[in-house]
Amino acid sequence: MAAVANSSNSAPNTSVSTWTSYVKVDSQTFDTIRQEGSKRLAGLKPWNEFFDRNRVSVPKTFKEFTTRLNQNVQVYQNNYIFLSLIIAAYALITNLWLLIGAAFCLIGSKWIGSLPANEPVKLLGTQFTQTQLYIGLGIFGLVFLWLSGAPSTIFWMLTTAGLLLVVHGGLMEPPVEVGFTDAV
């Protein structure tokens, strides 16, 4: 306990919640996620530019379609990621069992990883090694996620996000500034 208290006092900007006392999460993980999220949100193109119906047209050739797709993926990458995250959040919210199963697997994995590697853990009156706990979590997690419909949900999310990207990216004429950066 003293080592935990000393490390939390020496680290700036560390917030300890009640669940992090059971699952050891370092502040660097949260900082990395926060920084990457801020960078991606700052890079979002305006939504009125993203959904500009005046720039939608059917390309004349397949080469023009793929060129548009490549250019739009580069320009609107953060918007596509944001929309994919909204699709994933919608899928998790509408499938509560999948949300519970995914949270159980993530928290269980983090908890097992925080245990000492060579010390057995007594759980339900039986001693388990860290490897046995990972195997048990993996088996339970796979069965639980399979029963909650994870494969069909993942397929639906990938198909929806992929169709959104391909249709928008291929039919939307790239912004004018893309032509200037390609010429330079």
Side-chain angles (χ1 to χ4, degrees), residues 31 91 94 121:
D31 290 340
T94 57
V121 176

Side-chain angles (χ1 to χ4, degrees), residues 107-173:
I107 292 171
S109 175
K110 199 68 174 167
W111 175 73
I112 294 170
S114 69
L115 296 173
N118 297 328
E119 294 181 23
V121 176
K122 194 166 194 171
L123 193 64
L124 302 172
T126 308
Q127 287 191 346
F128 296 101
T129 64
Q130 192 177 29
T131 305
Q132 290 171 327
L133 289 173
Y134 273 126
I135 291 170
L137 178 67
I139 292 170
F140 180 79
L142 283 174
V143 170
F144 192 82
L145 291 174
W146 182 269
L147 292 175
S148 67
S152 62
T153 303
I154 291 170
F155 179 75
W156 177 84
M157 289 186 323
L158 291 175
T159 304
T160 305
L163 278 174
L164 173 79
L165 188 143
V166 169
V167 169
H168 180 272
L171 296 180
M172 181 74 77
E173 294 174 7

